[in-house]
């Protein structure tokens, strides 16, 4: 690992710069949109919403946007590691978030909160190990592996919990933690910021993060330069399951309840935010900041659509189109820059 | 690779019948599916023989799990994915319930399938984005459209009498669903093994550049494959709607898992180029029998999910390529790279 970090010949995975003789204006625009677009689009969307959408800028609504963005944002920030390492996604976050939430409230009701947190973290290590060993060591396809662990995990959770809803004690520690606010910013958003800072540092400033990105750009080259690649994949999955479990805690604290179906749609929802943020599903390219921007963009957009009276069906259509659009721009920019 | 005493091309010719048989079996990809089916059948025979006497139930479960998987197999063989099949099933069902004429409804559903397949293929072939992402976007779009069109309410079919007729057996104990499933299997099997265009699907999945260089119209084959997959999914949606006598916009959440599971257990490689429709059929049979057997022995749905997830996980991890990878990964971790890099080279 050290050997690799010192070597200047392994270029950091940045996208191709336009040639000096210069592509056409349309090509430049495409490249720009693929590289920096998400920052501008997010800012423009927020400004337009503040100016033109009634009720967007109210404290209640902003707090609501934060609340909806935070848990899925924490999941997405963690899953960024799996995506950048070139392993598509971790579908089992659905099961992990729900398991974290149910264990936090269920076990803390019967035992105590520290024991609940320990149990939940232990379970998240099991998830990370199973996914990471199957994908890293067995080179099995991540989609199928995490699809099966989702089913095993959700099946176990529903069987053991009886599918019932767990309520935390009224005015207990969990509920009062969920109610903490800094102005309009709820604690869940602060947790998101902390997780994003820690994982952002890990991804862009440490050896491990460098190796994750290198592995995503070129698996064979990374292996041949002496990196223990299966461990890298295992690490990426462990980080994802830690983040998912923390998201489960945040989700449970917010409503002071937990049920096995509370995280439905988090798998593709988190992936949508990652892709819209501009992280490449081919691996190697992307950052935690991009994921956070993607989450903010999707959450603000969804909120604006809800405020404007657009139904759930059209919201889904909008998110689906955005995914395809974001990746199409990236693919076209790639084609253009090759010419 | 050249050896000091000359170069060998391909394998040595088979000497005996047994040799030949062993080689043929070695090329087949259905091994694990057959093993799983054997285990499931033996366990079912011992624990719950009702699975066999109630075979119409088992068969219709297999047809339910398998039909979408057959279409998906075609796309996976070409090294692509289609995550939008489950949403296609739902949207086609909703489209079908828009009219009171059953024939027109089926046409609408199949037309939806063609359109979805063309859009998927457009993004993969023309725009050049990964099919995993293109069809992920379509998963959202189609689900959203189904909700918009149906106003998130189940739509009952106008022509209830025909729909009820449709659920009844027509040939012996076989319902139309099973007959259609068998027909789809036979046609796809013949297409992929006996027809030139079908054989070329394997080439597209095995080595796309080589296929292009050999003059195979790769793009056209991709379009055909995506359209076939979506049309079959749309057909499954129409059948679901007829059997339930209503289109449910929220149904179909488990279709994606079970159809992928059937194909993967059947030995279809996600990297493309390896696998067979027969394997998917056997995979669907093992899963369908497992589900019916578990239901008949009174196992809860939650625990059934654990079994099916476990079988799927076992299936991907016991893939010959996975086992090889695991051995080499372990060696990497235990001995370090230097010891290994000389003897393994650039494999």
């Amino acid at each position: 690992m050290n050997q690799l970090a010192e070597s200047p010949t392994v270029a950091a995975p940045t996208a191709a710069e336009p040639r000096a003789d210069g592509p056409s204006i349309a090509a430049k625009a495409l490249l720009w949109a693929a590289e920096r677009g998400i920052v501008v689009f997010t800012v423009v969307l927020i400004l337009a919403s503040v100016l033109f959408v009634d009720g967007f800028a109210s404290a209640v609504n902003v707090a609501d946007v934060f609340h909806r963005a935070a848990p899925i944002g924490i999941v997405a920030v963690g899953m960024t590691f799996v995506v950048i390492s070139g392993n598509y996604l971790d579908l089992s976050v659905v099961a992990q978030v729900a398991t974290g939430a149910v264990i936090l409230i269920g076990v803390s009701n019967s035992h105590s909160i520290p024991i609940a947190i320990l149990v939940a973290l232990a379970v998240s290590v099991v998830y990370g190990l199973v996914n990471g060993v199957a994908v890293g060591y067995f080179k099995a396809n991540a989609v199928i592996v995490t699809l099966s662990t989702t089913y095993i995990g959700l099946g176990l959770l529903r069987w053991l919990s009886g599918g019932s809803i767990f309520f935390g004690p009224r005015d207990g520690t969990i509920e009062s933690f969920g109610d903490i606010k800094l102005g309009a910013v709820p604690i869940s958003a602060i947790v998101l910021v902390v997780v994003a800072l820690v994982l952002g540092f890990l991804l862009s400033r440490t050896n491990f993060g460098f190796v994750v990105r290198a592995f995503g750009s070129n698996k064979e080259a990374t292996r041949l330069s002496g990196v223990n690649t299966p461990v890298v994949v295992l690490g990426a999955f462990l980080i994802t399951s830690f983040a998912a479990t923390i998201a489960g805690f945040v989700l449970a604290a917010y409503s002071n309840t937990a049920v096995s179906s509370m995280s439905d749609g988090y798998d593709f929802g988190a992936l949508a935010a990652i892709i819209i943020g501009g992280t490449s599903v081919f691996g190697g390219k992307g950052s935690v900041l991009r994921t956070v921007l993607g989450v903010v963009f999707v959450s603000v957009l969804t909120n604006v659509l809800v405020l404007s009276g657009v139904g759930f069906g059209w919201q889904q259509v909008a998110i689906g189109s955005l995914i395809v659009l974001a990746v199409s721009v990236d693919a076209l920019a790639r084609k253009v820059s090759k010419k | 690779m050249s050896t000091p005493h000359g170069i060998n091309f391909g394998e040595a010719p088979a000497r005996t019948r047994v040799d030949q048989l062993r080689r043929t079996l070695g090329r087949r990809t259905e091994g694990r599916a057959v093993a799983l089916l054997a285990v499931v059948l033996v366990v079912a025979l011992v624990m719950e023989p009702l699975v066999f006497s109630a075979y119409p139930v088992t068969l219709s479960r297999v047809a339910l799990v398998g039909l979408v998987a057959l279409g998906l197999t075609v796309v996976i063989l070409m090294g692509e994915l289609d995550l939008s099949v489950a949403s296609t099933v739902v949207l086609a069902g909703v489209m079908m319930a828009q009219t009171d004429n059953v024939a027109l409804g089926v046409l609408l559903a199949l037309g939806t399938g063609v359109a979805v397949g063309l859009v998927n293929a457009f993004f993969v072939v023309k725009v050049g984005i990964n099919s995993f992402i293109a069809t992920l976007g379509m998963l959202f779009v189609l689900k959203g459209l189904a909700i918009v069109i149906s106003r998130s309410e189940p739509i009952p079919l106008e022509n209830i009498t025909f729909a009820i007729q449709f659920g009844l057996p027509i040939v012996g104990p076989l319902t139309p669903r099973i007959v259609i499933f068998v027909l789809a299997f036979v046609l796809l099997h013949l297409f992929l093994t006996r027809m030139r265009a079908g054989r070329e699907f394997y080439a597209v999945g095995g080595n796309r550049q080589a296929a292009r260089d050999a003059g195979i119209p790769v793009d056209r084959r991709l379009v055909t494959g995506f359209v076939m997959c979506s049309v079959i999914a749309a057909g499954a949606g129409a059948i679901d709607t007829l059997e339930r006598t209503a289109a449910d916009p929220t149904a179909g959440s488990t279709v994606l898992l079970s159809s992928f599971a059937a194909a993967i257990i059947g030995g279809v490689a996600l990297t493309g180029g390896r696998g067979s429709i027969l394997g998917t059929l056997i995979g669907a049979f093992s899963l369908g029998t497992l589900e019916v057997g578990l239901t008949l022995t009174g196992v809860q749905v939650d625990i059934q999910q654990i079994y099916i997830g476990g079988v799927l996980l076992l299936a991907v991890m016991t893939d010959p390529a996975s086992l090889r990878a695991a051995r080499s990964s372990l060696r990497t971790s235990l001995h370090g790279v230097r010891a290994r890099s000389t003897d393994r080279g650039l494999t």
Side-chain angles (χ1 to χ4, degrees), chain A residues 89 137-139 141 144 147-148 151 155-156 159 223 228 268 271 275 281-282 313 316-317 320 324 327 331 335, chain B residues 123 126 129-130 132-133 136-137 140-141 143-144 148 257 270 302-303 306 309 316-317 322 325-326 329 333 340:
Chain A
L89 81 169
Y137 283 82
F138 284 78
K139 306 269 189 299
N141 183 291
I144 303 299
L147 195 60
S148 27
Y151 270 73
L156 278 173
W159 176 43
R223 190 179 73 83
N228 191 350
F268 289 132
L271 183 67
I275 292 168
V281 276
F282 301 108
Q316 298 275 303
V317 174
V324 176
V327 182
K335 268 190 188 172
Chain B
F123 281 111
K126 286 285 174 213
I129 62 185
N130 186 318
F132 173 76
I133 299 302
L136 172 69
F140 281 102
V141 170
K143 196 168 75 177
V148 168
L257 172 86
L270 281 164
D302 305 331
I303 303 176
I306 304 175
V316 278
M317 287 176 71
S322 297
S329 307
S333 304
R340 185 188 41 90

Side-chain angles (χ1 to χ4, degrees), chain B residues 206-229:
Chain B
N207 187 334
R208 192 157 298 175
Q209 194 53 49
R212 236 182 260 278
D213 295 345
I216 293 173
V218 171
D219 290 353
R220 225 180 321 148
R221 294 289 170 266
L222 282 171
V223 175
T224 318
F226 275 106
V227 170
M228 281 169 93
C229 177

Side-chain angles (χ1 to χ4, degrees), chain A residues 34 117 137 147 168 172 262 292 325:
Chain A
I117 291 177
Y137 283 82
L147 195 60
M262 70 196 305
V292 173
L325 188 72

Side-chain angles (χ1 to χ4, degrees), chain B residues 53-143:
Chain B
S53 45
Y55 67 95
V57 178
T58 312
L59 282 181
S60 64
R61 185 70 213 170
V62 171
L64 183 76
V65 169
L67 187 54
V68 178
L70 291 182
L72 199 58
T73 306
V74 175
V75 171
I76 301 179
L77 280 179
M78 292 193 301
E80 303 286 344
L81 283 179
D82 188 349
L83 296 179
S84 66
V85 280
S87 301
T88 310
V89 169
V90 175
L91 182 63
V94 170
M95 290 303 287
M96 178 166 172
Q98 293 302 305
T99 155
D100 51 0
N101 184 333
V102 173
L104 194 64
V106 171
L107 273 183
L108 260 180
L110 295 180
T112 309
V114 174
V116 170
L118 286 177
V119 173
N120 282 339
F122 169 79
F123 281 111
V124 173
V125 174
K126 286 285 174 213
V127 185
I129 62 185
N130 186 318
S131 59
F132 173 76
I133 299 302
T135 55
L136 172 69
M138 288 297 275
L139 180 155
F140 281 102
V141 170
L142 300 178
K143 196 168 75 177

Side-chain angles (χ1 to χ4, degrees), chain A residues 90-112:
Chain A
D90 183 352
L91 287 169
S92 63
V93 289
V94 176
Q96 295 171 21
V97 172
T99 307
V102 168
I103 289 180
L104 179 69
I105 294 202
V107 176
S108 70
N109 279 348
S110 54
H111 297 82
S112 71

Side-chain angles (χ1 to χ4, degrees), chain A residues 294-319:
Chain A
V295 169
V296 171
F297 187 85
V298 172
S299 313
V300 171
L301 184 72
T302 314
N303 179 261
V304 167
L305 290 177
V306 170
L307 287 180
S308 323
V310 176
F312 179 70
W314 285 118
Q315 293 172 28
Q316 298 275 303
V317 174
I319 291 176

Side-chain angles (χ1 to χ4, degrees), chain A residues 50-86:
Chain A
V50 170
L51 289 177
F52 300 116
V53 181
D54 279 342
F56 177 79
S58 69
V60 179
N61 187 55
V62 170
D64 187 58
V65 174
F66 277 127
H67 268 312
R68 286 179 193 284
I72 203 162
I74 298 171
V75 172
V77 165
M79 210 205 275
T80 307
F81 281 77
V82 170
V83 177
I84 290 188
S85 72

Side-chain angles (χ1 to χ4, degrees), chain B residues 250-285:
Chain B
T250 55
S253 55
T254 58
V255 170
L256 189 63
L257 172 86
S258 42
S259 48
F260 262 105
I264 302 298
I265 291 169
V268 182
L270 281 164
T271 43
R274 280 181 68 81
S276 69
I277 284 286
L278 182 65
T280 304
L281 179 78
I282 303 174
F285 254 99

